[in-house]
Amino acid sequence: MSKKTVEQTVLEIIKLPSGDYAMRKAGEDEPLITVNLSQKVIEGLNGQSEELARMILVAGAKMMSELSLESVEASEPPKPVIH
């Protein structure tokens, strides 16, 4: 019985020169997810805008991971039924 494995990827959260926050694969330049907070939101967060962006990015990464896992599980052949 072979078991498929899900590739593990190291992700990092960065602040872009534009002030946006992004999540990318470690060692790569291209962001996977980018968060742009409006100035109004930033001002209303009392210095917690980085925390909000982190929470959004982590939620996005979790969803991507879960969908990837579901895709791997869906591609596995059905298990035989033994009577």
Side-chain angles (χ1 to χ4, degrees), residues 1-77:
M1 181 172 14
S2 69
K3 230 183 188 182
K4 289 188 179 181
T5 59
V6 177
E7 181 182 327
Q8 290 189 359
T9 303
V10 176
L11 302 173
E12 58 186 6
I13 296 173
I14 58 167
K15 188 169 185 179
L16 301 171
S18 65
D20 295 345
Y21 294 90
M23 180 175 287
R24 66 183 180 190
K25 290 181 180 180
E28 293 188 7
D29 292 330
E30 187 70 28
L32 298 170
I33 307 170
T34 304
V35 174
N36 175 290
L37 302 174
S38 71
Q39 192 58 40
K40 186 175 182 178
V41 168
I42 292 170
E43 291 168 2
L45 289 173
N46 299 321
Q48 297 296 311
S49 58
E50 188 171 326
E51 180 64 15
L52 174 60
R54 186 190 67 76
M55 291 172 68
I56 293 168
L57 292 167
V58 168
K62 182 178 178 190
M63 184 176 183
M64 289 170 38
S65 175
E66 289 170 355
L67 290 172
S68 176
L69 183 59
E70 287 175 12
S71 176
V72 167
E73 290 172 352
S75 68
E76 292 179 353

